[in-house]
Amino acid sequence: MDRIRIVGGSKLNGTIPISGAKNAALPLMIAGLLSEETLILDNVPRLADVVNLQRILGNHGVDIMSAGKRPGDHEYQGQTLHISAANIIDTTAPYELVSKMRASFWVIAPLLARMHEARVSLPGGCAIGTRPVDLLIMALEKLGASITIDGGYVIAKAPGGLKGAAIDFPKVTVSGTHVALMAATLAQGTTVITNAACEPEIQDVADCLNKMGARVSGAGTPRIVIEGVAKLHGARHTVLPDRIETGTYAMAVTMTGGDVLLAGARPELLQSALDVLTQAGAEITVDDKGIRVIRNGAGLNPVTVSTAPFPGFPTDLQAQLMALMACAGGASHITETIFENRFMHVQELARFGARISLDGETATIDGIAGLRGAPVMATDLRASVSLVIAGLAAEGETMVNRVYHLDRGFERLEDKLSACGATIERISG
């Protein structure tokens, strides 16, 4: 099993290219099931989750071709996928495939919308709380599906096709919004989703669906209106840059000091996180090339932050911020409001010497002068990268074990960091 070895203490200087967003690429790939024509996606990141989803879509009969590099391509330019779902041969998504990642459960929406039936295993994925699928099922039932759960499988049927409906989510749900949006594109009549998630990735998927002939308006706001169409056609779409990867590297630079351009990053996708980093002592500037993060080595200021749905501070950057605040001059407070059980990185950060105490959903971080390297273990995707950030700033050697979590969400992390002067390497086996 691979590990990552880090020797801390080097400042980061240079350019880090930002990859396509995992949280947009996955639902965009799934949206390919809605049309019998080919969907071409550019800037798809090379991640374990993308490979897994290709396998799942292949099981339904989808042909996926990954275009190779072209002359003049940048080293980290994402891949281009040609997704062709002309013939869906199987509407079952089996447990052994769905259990590897939660987002694969979303295939239920296009399968039901286009084939009028689906049998999809209840999901697996990150071990951060229950993250139930009840709101997704509620949305599909509103659209006229009959749903039963049998032997760990959700069996959905809509013999006459789905019908437009009013879907009012009792709480903001990204996965529920994705599922309702995709299913409603082929429903008869108009669907109105209220209390919809406003994340940029939802808007990116809606933009792509509109290119395919869907009639979606209001994506990126709490009220989305979808006028159903009889069928969707092929299209070409570029995945937007990954705001979580952007925020993660911005925090790494703030932690270690240095001067890094996050090439291709878009500030409006994570303004709340950039505001927090400015408050902590980073100097952030924006131009047409991306976001530049500079810190001259002065002390870090403590911050108080609550995670919130977009445009608030992202839950997916909570662990990274906690690592950063471990060396701030004073006490910081981070409240996690989105997922329960999302503080599993606390014990691992403590191995670096970090002083963190938990009270319910709030963590108090008492900043110390410096961290010391340690052997640590990744527990989930975002927590694992917080250990890398801590290791970059810690004195001595850090060994991060179980890095397969990292490979699910960060493309060539050690290459991007070592190109900016970090002492970091992957050890195989």
Side-chain angles (χ1 to χ4, degrees), residues 97-288:
L97 294 177
V98 179
S99 62
K100 291 191 171 73
M101 56 184 274
R102 297 190 53 82
S104 56
F105 182 79
W106 302 348
V107 298
I108 194 168
L111 289 174
L112 187 58
R114 186 172 150 202
M115 307 301 291
H116 303 167
E117 62 172 34
R119 181 172 172 270
V120 180
S121 169
L122 287 164
C126 272
I128 47 173
T130 51
R131 298 168 84 180
V133 294
D134 54 348
L135 295 179
L136 287 64
I137 290 170
M138 177 274 282
L140 295 173
E141 285 178 332
K142 290 272 192 202
L143 294 169
S146 71
I147 292 185
T148 53
I149 296 176
D150 182 33
Y153 280 79
V154 177
I155 299 159
K157 293 187 171 152
L162 296 173
K163 309 279 191 297
I167 300 171
D168 181 26
F169 285 116
K171 65 177 186 181
V172 174
T173 160
V174 172
S175 55
T177 304
H178 274 307
V179 162
L181 177 59
M182 283 194 264
T185 55
L186 296 179
Q188 298 158 35
T190 301
T191 298
V192 179
I193 306 171
T194 47
N195 203 25
C198 300
E199 270 66 8
E201 295 80 12
I202 302 272
Q203 196 170 341
D204 204 38
V205 171
D207 289 348
C208 178
L209 290 170
N210 284 339
K211 289 179 191 172
M212 295 168 73
R215 299 173 68 182
V216 180
S217 57
T221 75
R223 185 176 186 271
I224 303 176
V225 179
I226 306 111
E227 291 176 50
V229 296
K231 63 190 305 186
L232 296 180
H233 51 73
R236 184 163 201 153
H237 182 78
T238 301
V239 180
L240 87 172
D242 196 316
R243 63 196 170 98
I244 304 304
E245 187 192 33
T246 303
T248 297
Y249 288 127
M251 289 187 195
V253 181
T254 308
M255 183 87 174
T256 60
D259 180 345
V260 171
L261 172 69
L262 304 174
R266 283 173 33 195
E268 72 276 12
L269 303 180
L270 71 159
Q271 195 56 55
S272 60
L274 297 178
D275 292 345
V276 168
L277 287 177
T278 302
Q279 197 184 329
E283 183 187 324
I284 291 172
T285 53
V286 174
D287 63 22
D288 56 358

Side-chain angles (χ1 to χ4, degrees), residues 330-345:
S332 298
H333 306 278
I334 302 175
T335 302
E336 173 57 63
T337 67
I338 310 289
F339 293 126
E340 75 275 32
N341 198 21
R342 202 169 204 183
F343 281 142
M344 292 191 293
H345 44 282

Side-chain angles (χ1 to χ4, degrees), residues 321-389:
L321 181 64
M322 193 176 292
L324 178 62
M325 288 300 103
C327 293
S332 298
H333 306 278
I334 302 175
T335 302
E336 173 57 63
T337 67
I338 310 289
F339 293 126
E340 75 275 32
N341 198 21
R342 202 169 204 183
F343 281 142
M344 292 191 293
H345 44 282
V346 169
Q347 291 134 309
E348 297 302 307
L349 288 173
R351 295 173 61 81
F352 291 98
R355 292 166 54 187
I356 305 167
S357 55
L358 295 179
D359 181 12
E361 56 203 24
T362 299
T364 298
I365 307 103
D366 289 306
I368 58 174
L371 302 176
R372 296 188 67 83
V376 289
M377 190 173 290
T379 53
D380 69 53
L381 167 53
R382 305 307 176 186
S384 54
V385 82
S386 73
L387 307 178
V388 172
I389 290 173

Side-chain angles (χ1 to χ4, degrees), residues 47-128:
L47 301 171
D49 273 6
V50 168
V51 173
N52 258 331
L53 185 53
Q54 285 179 262
R55 203 170 290 137
I56 288 160
L57 293 174
N59 186 65
H60 296 301
V62 180
D63 288 319
I64 301 181
M65 187 191 86
S66 175
K69 280 174 129 173
R70 299 283 176 268
D73 275 3
H74 297 305
E75 190 183 354
Y76 297 104
Q77 249 174 355
Q79 58 191 329
T80 294
L81 297 184
H82 295 247
I83 299 167
S84 176
N87 298 303
I88 293 177
I89 55 168
D90 191 345
T91 55
T92 294
Y95 171 73
E96 59 271 19
L97 294 177
V98 179
S99 62
K100 291 191 171 73
M101 56 184 274
R102 297 190 53 82
S104 56
F105 182 79
W106 302 348
V107 298
I108 194 168
L111 289 174
L112 187 58
R114 186 172 150 202
M115 307 301 291
H116 303 167
E117 62 172 34
R119 181 172 172 270
V120 180
S121 169
L122 287 164
C126 272
I128 47 173

